[in-house]
Amino acid sequence: MALKAVHVSDVPHFDQVPDNASLAMYVNRCSIGAELGWKAFRASKFLVIGHRGSGMNALQSSDRRMKAIKENSILSFNAAAKFPVDFVEFDVQVTRDYCPVIFHDDFILSVDKGTVFEKRVTELSLSEFLNYGPQQDPQTEGNCLLRKTKDGKIVNWNVEIDDRLCTLEEAFQKVESSLGFNIELKFDDHIVYDQSYLTGVLQAILHVVFKNAKERPIIFSSFQPDAALLVRKLQATYPVFFLTNGGNELYHDVRRNSLEEALKVCSEGGLQGIVSEVKGIFRNPGTVKKIRESELSLLTYGTLNNVAEAVYMQHLMGVEGVIVDLVQEITEAMAEMIKPPAKAKAEATGMTGEEGKEEEGKVKEEEEEEEEMDRKPQFSERELSFLMKLIPQLIDF
């Protein structure tokens, strides 16, 4: 089988839901929908989620795909929608005049008369925010956008296909309606927020969501534990996931420092799931079972999710979905790797036509009888070879 996805050697170094509620809107992209309950969120298929749309902009990467389309933009979201992704993930902040906008970084960097300056997104008005980058009127030139890398370098935010900055409401209005939104509630890691501020920000976001969402599936997520817990209390319609880097970095707030703490936050606060940095899962594979036994869902993010073998291993481990940058490559690879068991068995035995259909029917009956069983996957030789390919990456933390 010729895999079309990126392989290990190619990885760029960039760095209360009501009972019995259901997401029938998944039908367009998932086979039978996803089910929600007071604690549980269960997708009907392995989810692939586009990171900041069709991928983040890693401007210092040599991989052109990482700077093809402006991240967190309408163009990027609709580009991802051309492939069988279930959601796009993006970052939402609220401006000074309480308008939810989509932007990842805490600060906007620009230059004026040769001097670089930075302004916090939340301290800008909506009109000031939208005045950066390309403008709706092509005859108007907006303020240039710069970016600060993790090592402090100031670089131009150059992408092959640029797009305007946008609001959350615009995304609802202009993005393919069947595409789910994983809305990350973005807050500065270095600020301690009081509840009144968090409440105002979250209410502004929820106002836009409930006004515009209609049948679109929504997931909320946040690294800020108080924000995640509060948005869970403020609304009873959409699932809330707690974001964690799984212990790869340490924070003053101990709730952010491990998968075990994340599990505790979710269980005590009635959240529906965890989104973990993928290395945290590979370091602590036993945690996957604990999370599942707690009736929580588990998604992952991180650069290893751009490696087809790493994504496939997570599928085998019980992870329910991945946030990826290389949308086309990973969706194509998963379509090849993850096949319905009945179809896979029929192909493996060489059965076709009526004989193949009969075999698929038998397998489906067996699956229905065993669907409630928590079975440990049995790894084939090919699956073990995938794991072996991962080892160089997994030991280099």
Side-chain angles (χ1 to χ4, degrees):
M1 178 178 66
L3 299 182
K4 298 178 182 178
V6 64
H7 294 273
V8 172
S9 60
D10 301 321
V11 179
H13 295 280
F14 37 81
D15 81 278
Q16 140 175 121
V17 175
D19 292 334
N20 302 319
S22 66
L23 282 184
M25 51 284 237
Y26 271 104
V27 173
N28 290 334
R29 290 180 176 269
C30 301
S31 57
I32 58 173
E35 295 180 355
L36 284 80
W38 179 259
K39 289 186 177 180
F41 168 92
R42 288 287 179 259
S44 63
K45 53 168 284 192
F46 186 75
L47 301 178
V48 178
I49 301 169
H51 185 210
R52 305 184 199 174
S54 60
M56 67 179 287
N57 295 153
L59 301 179
Q60 290 186 301
S61 171
S62 59
D63 191 332
R64 288 183 60 187
R65 295 170 296 183
M66 304 309 296
K67 45 192 172 185
I69 305 176
K70 173 67 74 62
E71 67 178 32
N72 278 333
S73 69
I74 302 298
L75 279 178
S76 187
F77 302 150
N78 282 326
K82 295 177 182 178
F83 303 98
V85 295
D86 305 283
F87 289 81
V88 284
E89 179 271 352
F90 53 78
D91 310 275
V92 173
Q93 304 183 58
V94 172
T95 60
R96 186 182 68 218
D97 44 355
Y98 280 83
C99 180
V101 296
I102 300 176
F103 197 77
H104 174 269
D105 300 351
D106 297 317
F107 294 88
I108 277 186
L109 276 75
S110 190
V111 62
D112 183 28
K113 298 178 181 179
T115 301
V116 174
F117 62 89
E118 60 182 16
K119 294 184 178 180
R120 189 177 291 277
V121 172
T122 54
E123 294 176 350
L124 297 171
S125 67
L126 175 61
S127 61
E128 289 171 333
F129 172 78
L130 294 178
N131 198 40
Y132 290 92
Q135 298 296 292
Q136 188 167 12
D137 180 358
Q139 304 301 317
T140 303
E141 184 175 351
N143 296 327
C144 76
L145 276 173
L146 304 176
R147 203 104 187 256
K148 182 183 290 187
T149 64
K150 288 185 176 181
D151 57 4
K153 292 181 180 177
I154 305 297
V155 298
N156 290 322
W157 199 333
N158 293 326
V159 290
E160 293 181 9
I161 304 176
D162 210 341
D163 196 17
R164 297 173 54 239
L165 299 182
C166 66
T167 66
L168 177 59
E169 186 163 46
E170 284 182 290
F172 277 109
Q173 295 170 348
K174 298 178 180 180
V175 174
E176 163 62 44
S177 61
S178 66
L179 185 63
F181 283 175
N182 174 188
I183 299 174
E184 181 183 337
L185 307 168
K186 181 77 174 179
F187 296 92
D188 192 322
D189 291 340
H190 303 98
I191 293 178
V192 177
Y193 297 93
D194 62 43
Q195 184 163 327
S196 62
Y197 176 80
L198 290 177
T199 300
V201 166
L202 296 176
Q203 286 178 333
I205 294 171
L206 290 173
H207 174 75
V208 173
V209 170
F210 281 100
K211 177 183 175 183
N212 296 278
K214 298 178 182 179
E215 297 301 302
R216 190 189 298 273
I218 305 290
I219 295 173
F220 289 113
S221 63
S222 186
F223 283 104
Q224 221 291 343
D226 293 323
L229 294 169
L230 185 53
V231 78
R232 180 69 177 86
K233 293 178 181 178
L234 289 173
Q235 57 87 42
T237 304
Y238 302 112
V240 181
F241 282 52
F242 181 44
L243 271 158
T244 176
N245 64 18
N248 294 313
E249 296 180 46
L250 296 181
Y251 297 87
H252 178 71
D253 189 333
V254 297
R255 295 174 295 178
R256 301 187 58 184
N257 287 341
S258 68
L259 281 167
E260 290 75 14
E261 286 293 333
L263 199 159
K264 186 187 301 183
V265 168
C266 292
S267 298
E268 294 178 354
L271 307 188
Q272 282 78 21
I274 293 171
V275 186
S276 173
E277 212 287 337
V278 59
K279 290 180 181 178
I281 296 301
F282 282 125
R283 282 174 170 167
N284 304 283
T287 309
V288 176
K289 184 178 181 181
K290 292 180 182 178
I291 292 171
R292 299 279 294 186
E293 288 175 345
S294 298
E295 297 185 54
L296 296 171
S297 289
L298 177 61
L299 308 175
T300 68
Y301 72 92
T303 57
L304 272 177
N305 282 350
N306 293 323
V307 181
E309 293 89 345
V311 173
Y312 184 60
M313 289 305 301
Q314 292 176 74
H315 164 65
L316 296 174
M317 292 167 66
V319 174
E320 291 176 70
V322 291
I323 299 172
V324 308
D325 293 297
L326 304 183
V327 168
Q328 178 177 357
E329 291 82 350
I330 295 301
T331 53
E332 289 177 351
M334 292 307 101
E336 292 186 18
M337 291 179 172
I338 304 175
K339 296 181 179 179
K343 183 177 180 181
K345 185 173 181 180
E347 289 181 357
T349 56
M351 295 181 179
T352 59
E354 292 301 320
E355 186 181 27
K357 291 181 181 179
E358 182 179 346
E359 180 61 28
E360 286 188 29
K362 291 179 182 179
V363 175
K364 286 179 181 177
E365 288 180 7
E366 295 173 2
E367 291 169 2
E368 290 173 0
E369 293 174 359
E370 299 175 341
E371 64 182 358
E372 298 300 324
M373 296 178 62
D374 183 18
R375 294 172 296 171
K376 184 177 180 180
Q378 300 297 312
F379 294 92
S380 68
E381 183 176 345
R382 185 184 69 171
E383 290 160 356
L384 288 173
S385 74
F386 288 162
L387 182 58
M388 294 300 292
K389 291 179 181 179
L390 285 175
I391 289 177
Q393 288 287 329
L394 300 182
I395 62 176
D396 185 24
F397 289 126

